[in-house]
Amino acid sequence: MKVTHTHACPIAAALNVIGDRWTLLIIREAFYGAVRFGEIRRNTGISRNILSDRLNSLVADGILEKVKYADRGTSYVYHLSEKGRALETVLGALLQWGNEYIYGEGAEPVQLVEKASQRPIKAFAPVDSEGRVVARQDVTFNAGPGANNATRKRLADAAEAGAIS
Amino acid sequence: MKVTHTHACPIAAALNVIGDRWTLLIIREAFYGAVRFGEIRRNTGISRNILSDRLNSLVADGILEKVKYADRGTSYVYHLSEKGRALETVLGALLQWGNEYIYGEGAEPVQLVEKASQRPIKAFAPVDSEGRVVARQDVTFNAGPGANNATRKRLADAAEAGAIS
DNA sequence: TTTTAATAGTTTTGAAACGAGACTATAATC
DNA sequence: GATTATAGTCTCGTTTCAAAACTATTAAAA
């Protein structure tokens, strides 16, 4: 499947790479330090053929790197590249949302916390280039430098529809 | 499909709700203000039966609300609930990642910007309950109040494996 | 009041993706 | 050289998906 339609969209582009039902869970495993085929399988329940296929895709997309590992038999470790580690924000946003809207306060199975204080992370907030937090209602979508005509029209229509933030 | 295995996980729980290939794109449309069946279809290319199914699920999950709309024929609008609007962070994180690692600097089709200054949002950063930004390397996973034994063991193993950060 | 047109679906059918289990390949250890 | 652990591949039945035809509902036009 290829999810792109009239206008170029970084969200659609990202979902084309990591938007299937298993890929983000595999990447979660990589963050948890589960970096071997059998380990990922045990921790997720994904079937062998699909895991094999997804790992190959993730390596091809530059998100994981496959490295020979000294152990019994044929064995490898899959490490996150920088591109893969950058998905931490996506996983973090999903974790926060799952905690807040599925499990609810007081029932969170896993939390992000500040190491030193052990205090939970509250949210992921947009920050500008100086690292300052920008309020949600002050953020909007705009056409970027790579916008094509379809994208510009789409965003103009959306703005007109009173959409967004 | 049901993605949960040994340990309870808010990421897996979130992906069970919004983790299929189309759902987040439908929610993107809602943020863009495209809130009618045909509109979403035109903007995404999703087929009728699947869109119908996903919209029903999203309404059942409390992410969208279906409201009668006065217009030609049978027509409805789908509005984001608070639970749906809270997915802004997930979409934002995907957008930033897609811009940075797929399109690259200078080629971003769509950007998040601060309304007043029009300056682009740089990233989504973890903030604590006082709204202070916490550095990435100071954030880790911990068992939450709702953790079961499998989850505790999983996180302990992960910490031991030198994972996370 | 009947007809037309626009919208939002449902149904059907062939294609693609997925899941489970059997089987294979590779290499370190015994 | 045999054994064993690991990481796959292959096959086949099931499920999900896509595309197109068809149906239902209702506001506006005639």
Side-chain angles (χ1 to χ4, degrees), chain A residues 1-15 17-22 24-25 28-34 39 41-46 54 63 82-103 105-116 118-134 136-148 151 154-155 157-159 161-165, chain B residues 1-15 17-22 24-25 28-34 39 41-46 54 63 82-103 105-116 118-134 136-148 151 154-155 157-159 161-165:
Chain A
M1 190 208 55
K2 193 64 178 303
V3 175
T4 321
H5 205 235
T6 44
H7 85 288
C9 172
I11 297 172
L15 290 173
V17 178
I18 54 151
D20 92 287
R21 288 201 278 282
W22 289 112
L24 278 173
L25 227 52
R28 177 198 74 180
E29 288 304 304
F31 275 102
Y32 275 0
E39 225 176 344
R41 238 176 78 69
R42 273 192 301 282
N43 292 330
T44 60
I46 187 169
R54 294 303 180 278
I63 291 170
E82 190 214 330
K83 185 175 178 180
R85 280 191 299 276
L87 286 167
E88 192 178 20
T89 312
V90 175
L91 289 182
L94 285 168
L95 186 146
Q96 296 287 347
W97 188 84
N99 272 343
E100 186 164 354
Y101 290 96
I102 299 178
Y103 288 102
E105 197 178 339
E108 301 90 340
V110 181
Q111 282 180 319
L112 292 173
V113 300
E114 188 182 6
K115 275 182 192 169
Q118 294 285 95
R119 292 192 319 149
I121 296 301
K122 173 84 177 196
F124 281 78
V127 297
D128 64 20
S129 53
E130 267 86 49
R132 277 190 294 265
V133 172
V134 179
R136 279 296 160 77
Q137 66 270 20
D138 294 337
V139 176
T140 189
F141 296 89
N142 255 187
N148 58 24
T151 298
R154 181 85 176 84
L155 288 166
D157 290 353
I164 297 166
S165 84
Chain B
M1 189 208 56
K2 192 65 178 304
V3 175
T4 320
H5 205 236
T6 44
H7 85 289
C9 172
I11 297 172
L15 290 173
V17 178
I18 55 150
D20 92 287
R21 288 202 278 282
W22 289 112
L24 278 172
L25 227 52
R28 177 198 75 182
E29 288 304 304
F31 274 102
Y32 276 0
E39 224 176 343
R41 239 175 77 69
R42 273 192 301 282
N43 293 330
T44 60
I46 188 170
R54 294 303 180 277
I63 291 169
E82 191 216 328
K83 185 176 178 179
R85 279 191 299 275
L87 286 167
E88 192 178 19
T89 312
V90 175
L91 289 181
L94 285 168
L95 186 147
Q96 296 287 346
W97 188 83
N99 272 344
E100 186 165 355
Y101 291 96
I102 299 179
Y103 287 102
E105 197 178 340
E108 300 90 340
V110 181
Q111 282 178 320
L112 291 174
V113 300
E114 187 182 7
K115 275 182 190 168
Q118 294 285 94
R119 293 191 318 149
I121 295 301
K122 174 83 177 195
F124 281 78
V127 296
D128 64 20
S129 52
E130 268 85 50
R132 278 191 293 265
V133 172
V134 179
R136 280 297 159 77
Q137 65 271 21
D138 294 335
V139 176
T140 189
F141 295 90
N142 254 187
N148 57 24
T151 298
R154 181 85 177 83
L155 288 166
D157 291 353
I164 299 168
S165 77

Side-chain angles (χ1 to χ4, degrees), chain B residues 14-75:
Chain B
L15 290 173
N16 275 330
V17 178
I18 55 150
D20 92 287
R21 288 202 278 282
W22 289 112
T23 299
L24 278 172
L25 227 52
I26 294 170
I27 294 167
R28 177 198 75 182
E29 288 304 304
F31 274 102
Y32 276 0
V35 287
R36 292 177 57 176
F37 190 92
E39 224 176 343
I40 299 171
R41 239 175 77 69
R42 273 192 301 282
N43 293 330
T44 60
I46 188 170
S47 59
R48 292 169 176 282
N49 49 352
I50 304 299
L51 177 55
S52 177
D53 181 82
R54 294 303 180 277
L55 286 172
N56 285 332
S57 299
L58 284 166
V59 169
D61 288 329
I63 291 169
L64 295 178
E65 285 152 5
K66 184 175 184 174
V67 184
K68 192 97 186 73
Y69 181 76
D71 197 356
R72 271 276 169 116
T74 58
S75 63

